[in-house]
Structure formats: C-alpha cells, structure tokens
Amino acid sequence: MTLPSNIYIDIHSHSPSPSKDVITFCSLFHDQSISECENTFFSVGLHPWHIDSTDCKNALLELDRSAQSEDIIAIGETGLDRAITTKFERQKKVLKEQLRIAEKYNKPLLIHCVRAFPEIISLLKKSKVPIIIHGFQGNFKISDELLKHNFYISIGAAILKEIPKHIHALQLIPLENLFLETDESDESIKTIYAKVSELLEVEEKELMTQIQANTTKLFHL
Ligand SMILES: [Zn+2]
C-alpha cells in the first residue's frame, strides 16, 4: 500500500481511523482482535498494566502467533511503568520477550515508558527493529538520550498544554525521528499537527510529508 499524500498519520491510538484523511495505527491489547477498518493498521502487545491479571506465558505465545500476520505491522504497546505495583523485574522480562518477537518478525516496537527511561534505553538500545517511544512527555535531556540511540519519539495531546519543557524537547527532535499520536485522548490528530507545526514553525504540509516518509520507512509501506 502506498500512502496517499495530504494524509494525517496517527501513530498510536486505541480506536480505528475516524476519517478518510487520517491513517491510524491502532494498538490492540493482547486479548483484543482485529476488526477490518478503513485507513487503519494494527499492532498488538502485552501492556505492563495488564501483566498481573494475565497468564503471560500464554499471552506471549498468542502474541507470537498474531505477529506472524501481515495485518499486524508492529508490536506494542509494551514497555515499563514505575507508577504501577507490578514487579519491575517481571515487566522487564515481558518486555524482553516482546522485543524478541518484534525482532523475529522484523516489526517495530511501540513503547510505553513511565519513569523508566534508563532501563528502556539499556534494554532496547541494541534492538534490531525501530523503537518508537509513544506519548513522550520528558525533557530534552531524556529525548537527547533516546535520539542518541536512534529511537523515534511520538508526541501526543499533552503538547497542547504547551508546557515549556515539553516544547523545548519537541523543538530539538529532528523531524526524521518524530511521530504524532492521539492515544486515548479525545483531541483530533489534526489539532495536534496544527499545534506542533506552530511550535516548530514549520508548514503543516512539510510536517505531514516528513511523518509520511518516516512511516513509509519504518513500516515498509
Ligand atoms: Zn496507548
């Protein structure tokens, strides 16, 4: 599939595309299945929030099976989260398994990270597949570290709050490493593109073209 021009790409959401001019990458949780939707690509992953309530061994086997499908274009979201009670070592183990699956099928990995950037970097810096840090809300020192390892950074609706440290970090991310997303927000991806183009002082068209190019490159579309 070639991406049409003049299209907005939402790299991480949990719902299908809302309109013809938006291509959505919809992340399924490990127990959800694909339903055919226009302009929508799917990823699947075992989220750290679900580890304690899941038979992880079976879920990972199932994930390995789903990952073989052409309909699944990435693995995730998965990651590490220090704000939950799930044992950190357990989270790391489950993440490592998903990195293995992503590498086995050569599909990018979508990462959820809360207060665990050093561990994310150390676990994933040698990854053979692209790493996308979704919903990034850190400062420029953290984004700099991520970029050193050529990770990709996705910015979501939090940027609409215009918090100075987020704006500063955004302004230092090369466009070649940038994605935009809605995740669970009710904001439109178009609002996020408009705000980011304003903050970066780049034409929205240029932003759209670059994010399309990033998408084509990472997902072989
Ligand atoms: Zn999400």
Side-chain angles (χ1 to χ4, degrees):
M1 170 183 176
T2 354
L3 296 177
S5 57
N6 278 326
I7 202 125
Y8 295 88
I9 292 169
D10 181 350
I11 205 70
H12 177 69
S13 168
H14 295 279
S15 334
S17 167
S19 62
K20 278 193 166 37
D21 54 355
V22 176
I23 287 191
T24 300
F25 285 65
C26 177
S27 287
L28 302 169
F29 296 125
H30 66 282
D31 53 356
Q32 293 177 307
S33 44
I34 290 181
S35 49
E36 274 308 309
C37 303
E38 270 183 56
N39 289 343
T40 305
F41 293 107
F42 291 92
S43 70
V44 66
L46 179 46
H47 197 292
W49 296 349
H50 301 148
I51 291 176
D52 282 347
S53 57
T54 300
D55 172 349
C56 291
K57 202 173 162 203
N58 270 330
L60 289 165
L61 281 172
E62 189 53 48
L63 198 65
D64 188 297
R65 267 192 292 275
S66 312
Q68 296 172 32
S69 159
E70 272 184 17
D71 295 330
I72 297 292
I73 54 136
I75 305 302
E77 60 180 297
T78 174
L80 299 174
D81 191 328
R82 272 204 204 280
I84 57 172
T85 54
T86 304
K87 285 205 178 76
F88 205 63
E89 282 311 308
R90 190 145 191 245
Q91 294 188 39
K92 281 200 207 164
K93 213 172 140 194
V94 171
L95 170 59
K96 276 192 217 162
E97 276 303 309
Q98 291 179 87
L99 170 63
R100 190 188 57 75
I101 294 171
E103 288 181 335
K104 181 171 168 192
Y105 299 107
N106 193 25
K107 295 183 180 180
L109 200 54
L110 261 163
I111 295 296
H112 163 103
C113 179
V114 177
R115 303 205 307 262
F117 286 105
E119 292 86 354
I120 283 290
I121 290 170
S122 105
L123 278 177
L124 302 178
K125 65 183 178 191
K126 292 198 178 121
S127 162
K128 297 188 189 80
V129 294
I131 305 292
I132 303 166
I133 306 290
H134 104 77
F136 180 74
Q137 292 187 52
N139 61 32
F140 78 95
K141 287 185 186 153
I142 302 173
S143 53
D144 252 18
E145 271 309 304
L146 297 168
L147 291 164
K148 260 187 219 160
H149 299 286
N150 204 26
F151 288 5
Y152 294 81
I153 298 178
S154 175
I155 301 288
I159 200 68
L160 301 176
K161 293 185 202 148
E162 299 194 50
I163 296 167
K165 70 169 183 178
H166 294 166
I167 297 177
H168 188 202
L170 167 70
Q171 286 169 337
L172 295 172
I173 302 171
L175 288 185
E176 294 74 23
N177 288 70
L178 183 68
F179 285 102
L180 302 177
E181 65 176 59
T182 55
D183 196 6
E184 283 173 321
S185 152
D186 291 329
E187 294 290 349
S188 156
I189 192 69
K190 297 176 192 175
T191 311
I192 299 173
Y193 269 76
K195 176 56 70 185
V196 167
S197 101
E198 175 198 319
L199 294 171
L200 294 180
E201 296 177 32
V202 296
E203 293 285 334
E204 200 172 299
K205 182 80 192 82
E206 188 188 336
L207 188 61
M208 290 167 86
T209 305
Q210 186 58 56
I211 291 182
Q212 280 174 36
N214 300 348
T215 308
T216 307
K217 181 178 144 199
L218 261 62
F219 298 93
H220 314 291
L221 295 173

